[in-house]
Amino acid sequence: MISPNGIKAILFDLDGTLRHHLPNGGEVFTDYAISLGISIGSEDRVRAARWEHYYFANSPEIRADSETFKDEDAFWVAFGRRRLIVMGCSPAQAAELSPQFAAHMRANHHPQVHVPEEARTLLSTLKEAGYILGVVSNREKTYHEQLEEMELRNHFAFTLAGGEVKSFKPERGIFEEALRRAGTSAPETMYVGDNYFADVVGSLRAGLRPVLYDPNRLFPDAECAVIQSFDQLPKLLK
């Protein structure tokens, strides 16, 4: 099927878009900071949330931390130090507190996986309408079993993990491979994701049509279509 604006394929990010953690790790981290008496305002919360999107968008910082800290616990201590600084702590305070935060998150953050119900409805509607659907993630390994567990696998013609092609959003290569698997051109392909730095920047770079899924309105100035819920997406195909 071709929509009136020429879209044949719709590709989705996985984590933070189709697959959510409840409670959100950033909220648990911030609430713990407040419990320790650290002053956190609304602007600090938003700044930290935006920074997390940046950090996990294959940023130079996460690449450096992944190379430096092979031990998982050490990696999360380094992450906590960076996040505390972004939230307004001094470098010295962040260095002192980050092991404590890593331990707290390890002991207390055991989230449930959640798929928004409107996402399930949307995927069924789009597949029935004849669109080619795919999932494109920055994960290192394939994630078929997780899609099966979430009862989403049958909606998609293909999935792609960055580790399969050694290219990670926002690089062009992962999007070019996604287009090859979809069998569509970039202008015929819509990409839906929650991470502005990975999903919007990357898909624009590769010529796809980006849609930012931004339920918390973290990026009000995004230069693309924006939805707060999945039931808003069909109007973009008209």
Side-chain angles (χ1 to χ4, degrees), residues 13-24:
D13 169 56
L14 179 60
D15 297 298
T17 301
L18 297 176
R19 183 179 186 274
H20 296 254
H21 276 162
L22 297 179
N24 174 275

Side-chain angles (χ1 to χ4, degrees), residues 7-216:
I7 297 296
K8 295 180 180 179
I10 305 173
L11 311 182
F12 292 84
D13 169 56
L14 179 60
D15 297 298
T17 301
L18 297 176
R19 183 179 186 274
H20 296 254
H21 276 162
L22 297 179
N24 174 275
E27 294 172 356
V28 174
F29 189 103
T30 300
D31 289 345
Y32 183 56
I34 293 172
S35 75
L36 295 179
I38 300 173
S39 178
I40 305 293
S42 59
E43 292 184 0
D44 301 317
R45 285 179 178 271
V46 171
R47 185 172 62 253
R50 288 176 178 167
W51 174 82
E52 277 202 38
H53 281 72
Y54 162 77
Y55 181 79
F56 286 111
N58 195 33
S59 67
E61 290 85 348
I62 194 174
R63 294 199 300 270
D65 289 346
S66 298
E67 182 65 28
T68 303
F69 305 105
K70 300 297 186 181
D71 177 76
E72 184 177 357
D73 289 343
F75 172 86
W76 288 113
V77 169
F79 166 81
R81 178 180 57 80
R82 290 186 185 276
R83 196 180 196 281
L84 285 165
I85 292 172
V86 171
M87 291 167 62
C89 292
S90 69
Q93 184 184 29
E96 178 184 353
L97 290 176
S98 56
Q100 182 176 336
F101 272 78
H104 174 82
M105 295 297 291
R106 185 168 56 250
N108 296 284
H109 186 224
H110 306 293
Q112 298 294 313
V113 172
H114 171 70
V115 179
E117 193 58 39
E118 65 268 22
R120 296 185 186 278
T121 301
L122 173 68
L123 293 172
S124 295
T125 300
L126 294 176
K127 184 177 181 180
E128 291 174 3
Y131 290 99
I132 300 165
L133 304 181
V135 186
V136 182
S137 169
N138 265 2
R139 292 194 177 200
E140 285 283 352
K141 299 179 181 179
T142 58
Y143 40 89
H144 299 150
E145 289 185 4
Q146 288 185 323
L147 288 177
E148 292 282 2
E149 291 171 359
M150 295 185 290
E151 301 181 343
L152 294 179
R153 180 68 184 90
N154 291 337
H155 293 295
F156 300 108
F158 72 92
T159 66
L160 175 61
E164 295 179 67
V165 290
K166 305 303 180 186
S167 178
F168 299 89
K169 300 176 290 184
E171 297 170 356
R172 289 176 58 97
I174 187 173
F175 290 99
E176 291 169 350
E177 173 61 18
L179 292 173
R180 188 190 70 78
R181 296 190 184 192
T184 54
S185 68
E188 296 171 330
T189 307
M190 176 179 286
Y191 190 81
V192 184
D194 71 302
N195 189 315
Y196 172 83
F197 303 102
D199 300 319
V200 174
V201 172
S203 56
L204 279 174
R205 185 178 293 168
L208 287 74
R209 303 193 198 185
V211 176
L212 179 65
Y213 171 63
D214 190 18
N216 296 317

